[in-house]
Amino acid sequence: MSTHTPITGRPVRVALVGAGNRGLTYAEWIKAHPERAELVAVADPRPAARAAAGAPVEFDDWRPLVENRIADAVVVATQDRFHVEPVLALAGAGYAILAEKPLAPTEEETRRIVEGVERSGVLFAVCHVMRYTPYTDLVKEVVDSGVLGQLVSLDHLEPVGWWHYAHSYVRGPWRSEKDSSPMLLAKSCHDLDWITYVMGGRIEQVSSFGGLKHFRPENAPAGSAERCLDCAVEDGCPYSALKLYMPTLREKGAVWPVTHVTEAKDEAGLVEALREGPYGVCAYRSDNDVVDHQVLAMLLSGGVTATFQMVAFTEQTHRQTRIFGSHGWLTGDGERVTVQDFRTGATTVHELGVSGSNAADGHGGGDAALVEAFVTAVATGDAGAVRSGPATSLGSHLAAFAAERARHTGTVQTVPAQ
């Protein structure tokens, strides 16, 4: 239970730990709403990242925030493997915390975080941004209305996107389980959390299959080179780094994902980064080991079944979902929801008109709504304003860990009940 005291008469003071893409996204909302919140400090070892945050106080490490409490709340958006120590220390110092997902790459570390923040009593939220989108609100409204009757099953697809996978999970920071976490946890604890939120039940059992099928040295095109800049056949390769990044720089400027590749703003800087860094390595010769496709079969509480598929080889677009009930069914694609009522035969289409399925586009409104909910919770002292506290998030993490055990052992795994 949170013991946070409401804040009145001034904006919520927020510090940012980790000024990467996610951290800067949350910071932008804070800076755009000065009447609600104020970014007072940033902690990041990279000078350019600190400068991009635009906070009046800068640290190259998060520890000074523990020693000198200068904010009401902290956003922890470091890499996956560097959440445990700052979260526990900052919670111990009394900060309200918004933590990027996944909480940690192992079950033991995840439990340490959850137990630590619950023991500290601080307000704690997890960045499961999919819970906060208008699309999710609509799907949940339909499900909770009872129009589908008794819920029976769900089928959910995460189309990662061919270029997004190559960027983040072949060449990027999440390409290695050892250095980051399993793909299912890094990318899709969002989805497991979303399934439980929308369906109103926890995942009790899971089986899983998948692996790294395509991005292997033996699948490299004939005549290809170690780097795209030196490759005679890169023009015909869908994963050419030149094709992925150069048009974005020329048409949109230095925006994501180019900003992950280089801090430079021009083509010469991008070429240099592709010459020297991981984003210019042939997609078939990287040191990646995370899966490029995975399927899950799940049993939810109440006997409801669910399937989930995450696959790299798609366009980069919204998740797609079908929910099957005894009296109706729902299909959704992130922008519209179609419901057929078996009792009347009527089909209703709900158009949202939203766009933006990925991090660059604010996750369809989820990023902004998440930060707004967190700031509201800190300001009012009402933890109910956030939809993803520590115990709730632990459930989806435990389901991901169980699915990985199932994938590696070819078994059906029971998900611990906390």
Side-chain angles (χ1 to χ4, degrees):
M1 179 68 66
S2 170
T3 58
H4 183 76
T5 302
I7 295 169
T8 58
R10 62 169 175 82
V12 174
R13 296 173 303 194
V14 183
L16 173 63
V17 173
N21 177 267
R22 303 306 301 142
L24 292 178
T25 295
Y26 304 138
E28 285 305 310
W29 187 94
I30 293 167
K31 291 188 292 183
H33 296 80
E35 75 288 355
R36 302 280 307 279
E38 177 186 6
L39 185 68
V40 298
V42 59
D44 195 294
R46 302 163 298 169
R50 297 196 300 270
V57 178
E58 298 182 7
F59 302 110
D60 61 7
D61 186 84
W62 54 265
R63 289 171 179 82
L65 293 170
V66 177
E67 299 161 3
N68 179 26
R69 184 173 170 183
I70 61 175
D72 306 301
V74 180
V75 176
V76 178
T78 55
Q79 279 293 112
D80 305 348
R81 288 193 172 272
F82 303 106
H83 287 175
V84 178
E85 191 177 2
V87 166
L88 293 181
L90 292 163
Y95 288 101
I97 296 174
L98 176 63
E100 186 55 270
K101 64 85 196 169
L103 287 177
T106 68
E107 181 173 335
E108 185 273 333
E109 290 172 305
T110 303
R111 288 187 180 278
R112 279 183 59 199
I113 287 179
V114 171
E115 291 166 3
V117 296
E118 288 184 334
R119 187 167 54 249
S120 72
V122 299
L123 189 147
F124 185 81
V126 184
C127 297
H128 289 298
V129 296
M130 285 176 59
R131 283 189 178 230
Y132 295 86
T133 66
Y135 171 75
T136 297
D137 290 343
L138 175 57
V139 172
K140 188 159 178 59
E141 180 183 339
V142 170
V143 170
D144 292 348
S145 74
V147 68
L148 303 182
Q150 185 178 33
L151 298 180
V152 176
S153 192
L154 169 145
D155 176 40
H156 186 67
L157 166 70
E158 179 176 12
V160 178
W162 55 273
W163 68 265
H164 186 197
Y165 183 88
H167 168 73
S168 295
Y169 305 99
V170 175
R171 296 173 170 125
W174 297 276
R175 65 183 182 269
S176 164
E177 288 194 15
K178 176 176 65 66
D179 296 330
S180 177
S181 62
M183 176 75 175
L184 182 69
L185 188 69
K187 190 71 175 74
S188 301
C189 67
H190 265 327
D191 297 271
L192 301 184
D193 174 79
W194 188 87
I195 289 168
T196 62
Y197 178 63
V198 167
M199 299 296 280
R202 80 175 192 89
I203 301 169
E204 296 182 343
Q205 291 182 289
V206 60
S207 61
S208 182
F209 302 92
L212 178 60
K213 183 175 180 62
H214 184 65
F215 294 99
R216 296 174 171 274
E218 60 267 27
N219 292 324
S224 59
E226 291 292 326
R227 287 186 174 270
C228 296
L229 288 173
D230 305 318
C231 185
V233 298
E234 66 83 19
D235 186 57
C237 177
Y239 307 105
S240 160
L242 286 169
K243 291 168 66 175
L244 293 186
Y245 303 117
M246 196 62 76
T248 298
L249 181 65
R250 290 171 177 169
E251 296 168 13
K252 300 180 180 180
V255 298
W256 186 86
V258 174
T259 48
H260 269 195
V261 179
T262 178
E263 295 175 358
K265 309 296 185 183
D266 56 13
E267 292 188 16
L270 176 57
V271 169
E272 181 181 0
L274 296 181
R275 174 69 64 192
E276 303 293 336
Y279 292 97
V281 173
C282 172
Y284 298 94
R285 293 177 170 86
S286 183
D287 58 351
N288 58 300
D289 61 12
V290 298
V291 302
D292 56 19
H293 69 297
Q294 187 166 357
V295 296
L296 278 66
M298 295 167 282
L299 178 66
L300 277 61
S301 51
V304 174
T305 58
T307 60
F308 169 64
Q309 180 169 202
M310 172 190 67
V311 62
F313 309 103
T314 67
E315 64 175 321
Q316 213 286 309
T317 188
H318 298 284
R319 274 85 166 176
Q320 297 163 27
T321 306
R322 297 181 294 179
I323 299 176
F324 308 92
S326 61
H327 288 57
W329 79 311
L330 173 156
T331 62
D333 64 0
E335 297 185 17
R336 67 192 56 80
V337 171
T338 301
V339 181
Q340 183 177 28
D341 186 333
F342 300 159
R343 287 161 289 203
T344 65
T347 298
T348 305
V349 180
H350 305 270
E351 293 279 357
L352 281 168
V354 299
S355 62
S357 60
N358 61 38
D361 301 313
H363 287 114
D367 291 348
L370 163 70
V371 185
E372 182 176 15
F374 177 67
V375 167
T376 297
V378 176
T380 62
D382 179 15
V386 298
R387 301 177 180 180
S388 50
T392 299
S393 189
L394 177 60
S396 61
H397 283 65
L398 293 178
F401 295 131
E404 282 299 277
R405 289 194 297 272
R407 183 173 70 88
H408 285 292
T409 61
T411 59
V412 176
Q413 291 283 315
T414 296
V415 179
Q418 302 284 318

